[in-house]
Amino acid sequence: MKHILATDIGGTTCKMGVFTPELELLHKWEIQTDTSDEGGRILGNIHQSFQSEGYSPEDTIGVGLGVPGPVDFNNGILNGAINLNWMHRKPIAAEFEALSGMSTMVDNDANVAALGEQFKGAGMGHKDVVMVTLGTGVGGGVVSNSLLIHGHGGAAGEIGHLLVDYDQRFQCNCGKKGCLETVASATGMKNLAMFYHHEHKGTRLDMAIENGTVSAKMIVEAAQEGDALGLRVIDEVAQYIAIALSHISAVTNPKYFIIGGGVSRAGRILTERIEAHYRPITFPPAYENTEIVMAELGNDAGIYGAARLVKQYLT
Amino acid sequence: MKHILATDIGGTTCKMGVFTPELELLHKWEIQTDTSDEGGRILGNIHQSFQSEGYSPEDTIGVGLGVPGPVDFNNGILNGAINLNWMHRKPIAAEFEALSGMSTMVDNDANVAALGEQFKGAGMGHKDVVMVTLGTGVGGGVVSNSLLIHGHGGAAGEIGHLLVDYDQRFQCNCGKKGCLETVASATGMKNLAMFYHHEHKGTRLDMAIENGTVSAKMIVEAAQEGDALGLRVIDEVAQYIAIALSHISAVTNPKYFIIGGGVSRAGRILTERIEAHYRPITFPPAYENTEIVMAELGNDAGIYGAARLVKQYLT
């Protein structure tokens, strides 16, 4: 039997997976990501790891790679990935094919995670799904007709840069203000906590802000304990996410919004508030039967999605 | 040679077209839409017209129908079309197949127009295109990976109901306020003109508003003649359209926004202002190389798109 190989390349580890042609996961492991020498060893180490597990071009259908940066999908070219010390455009697909002799598909890590969740995780059985990853930043992946949408320049699914804070209070890394990322990422939670803490003097959260030790995790925990500032931040985060989901619903009308990433660990205290804000501002036919759910595959989403790309485009 | 047949069913006329298997238009004509008897003659008249032109099931690949109402695309079911006196759910594809003996694809008229413009009109050669139709209402069609996006409930492309007027000044037919349709359709232009005319007393436009004869056409003409109220309305319409395009860009990143419908006859006075408002509020990678262009196929867009559906799904 031939196999599909998949790797989700992260700044710390590379998740490795081996799948059947029907996309059953046979075997998974991790290797360290060696970002020294401008990341020059990363692809070689991945290839070597597959080789040492016994996989050769003859028994491989193809390799799917998820990478933490913007990708020109049609040409398999990564436009730099700071976390990997890859500072320039890099033709990943061509390089890995030359190294391994295996056909290779490459896509952005948020995209492969979305595709993984769509076909095997929280979106299973549905062709139209959007994943929202709330982490240090806000990422996204849009799957429609069971295919990832890349758009003509690869910027589809950049929902972290939807304009949702109409007051445009906080500066975004992209150079603009008002982006979802400025109010719904871990950084965004801190932005909001700092914006409001003067109205909540003397609380533990206020003190953490004053002495510069506040974290998104602390804000979530404070909210779960009933702290007024924590709850105010969580509610506003939820409100801005709801505005973004409302816009997305009118454009691609997904069955599921799948929420992942570190901030999503806030859990129901967050999703219940997103739900409550989302429906009143959304065109009814566009939210009917749409559900907001938690991601299910965790760290495996990327390898599932990368393997799925191989299945979709190389078989 | 077998043919592909296509009809764009409107409230007044049905546009009829015959295409080669390669989607060259061989012949087109119109018939009146007879909406009497609850629209019970419409499908029969279309079938008869194709028959009298000599087309039979044996030499037909399939039929594509565009209809003015929401469609369950996978099942070919229309959920009512007021303009046709079809007040209930109607299994159009099954009915037309039973009548004609020809395989039939059905989609919403805004969707087939978008698909027509994408493959043969202003979007030719590009897989990712969004059409915005500014008429009595605001409609849309989203094409990604060369496929129409329907979404799980068929509400994808409902961009007339994107929330763009943050002040939520005007009531929309959908029951909400602030929708693009309330500020960018023909009705929306009148809403804005009425909202501001007190600040522009004594002008011709103000008088037309006072005596209830104002129309979108008058507002456009006034703007083109340099009237301050007319220009203010056009600029604000453009600003709201730009907000919508900005949102769509971050979700599906199209190469072209194709502007059609009656309001688009305003021409460059409108599109130049949309451009000017669009880029400053949009994530740069999501607008790079994106162009805002006018529709090119006019009334033929629907039959081209309906024929394309047959080619995509029945061959």
Side-chain angles (χ1 to χ4, degrees), chain A residues 245-253 282-283 286, chain B residues 155-159 161-162:
Chain A
L245 303 193
S246 169
H247 293 331
I248 298 166
S249 289
V251 179
T252 71
N253 183 214
T282 306
F283 182 52
Chain B
E158 285 285 3
I159 61 182
H161 301 285
L162 280 167

Side-chain angles (χ1 to χ4, degrees), chain A residues 61-190:
Chain A
I61 294 167
V63 183
L65 300 178
V67 289
V71 171
D72 169 358
F73 178 72
N74 292 324
N75 299 303
I77 297 173
L78 171 72
N79 198 9
I82 295 171
N83 293 344
L84 305 181
N85 275 329
W86 287 344
M87 305 313 278
H88 308 287
R89 274 172 70 84
K90 195 171 166 70
I92 306 272
E95 287 185 16
F96 199 81
E97 283 176 6
L99 204 63
S100 66
M102 300 170 180
S103 301
T104 304
M105 297 297 302
V106 178
D107 207 342
N108 171 266
D109 54 0
N111 275 350
V112 293
L115 191 61
E117 288 286 349
Q118 180 266 331
F119 99 95
K120 195 72 178 183
M124 204 156 70
H126 286 273
K127 295 187 295 183
D128 301 282
V129 155
V130 170
M131 183 156 179
V132 181
T133 306
L134 307 169
T136 317
V138 174
V142 180
V143 180
S144 291
N145 297 314
S146 301
L147 295 172
L148 274 167
I149 298 185
H150 295 94
H152 86 103
E158 285 286 3
I159 61 182
H161 300 285
L162 282 167
L163 175 63
V164 297
D165 177 17
Y166 307 142
D167 299 328
Q168 304 196 27
R169 290 172 289 178
F170 311 112
Q171 185 70 43
C172 186
N173 288 329
C174 78
K176 304 200 176 294
K177 293 178 170 188
C179 297
L180 180 63
E181 189 159 299
T182 66
V183 286
S185 62
T187 313
M189 291 182 69
K190 286 193 278 183

Side-chain angles (χ1 to χ4, degrees), chain A residues 255-276:
Chain A
K255 169 64 183 171
Y256 291 113
F257 286 108
I258 302 173
I259 313 288
V263 172
S264 74
R265 289 196 204 105
R268 284 185 48 158
I269 197 170
L270 181 65
T271 53
E272 279 174 359
R273 283 169 170 76
I274 298 174
E275 281 270 359

Side-chain angles (χ1 to χ4, degrees), chain B residues 50-113:
Chain B
F50 281 127
Q51 256 187 335
S52 68
E53 294 283 329
Y55 298 100
S56 64
E58 294 69 40
D59 58 15
T60 300
I61 295 167
V63 184
L65 300 177
V67 291
V71 171
D72 169 357
F73 178 72
N74 292 325
N75 298 305
I77 296 172
L78 172 73
N79 199 8
I82 295 171
N83 293 342
L84 306 180
N85 275 329
W86 288 343
M87 306 313 279
H88 308 287
R89 274 173 69 87
K90 195 171 166 69
I92 305 272
E95 287 186 16
F96 199 81
E97 282 177 5
L99 205 62
S100 66
M102 300 168 180
S103 302
T104 303
M105 297 298 301
V106 178
D107 207 343
N108 170 266
D109 54 1
N111 275 350
V112 292

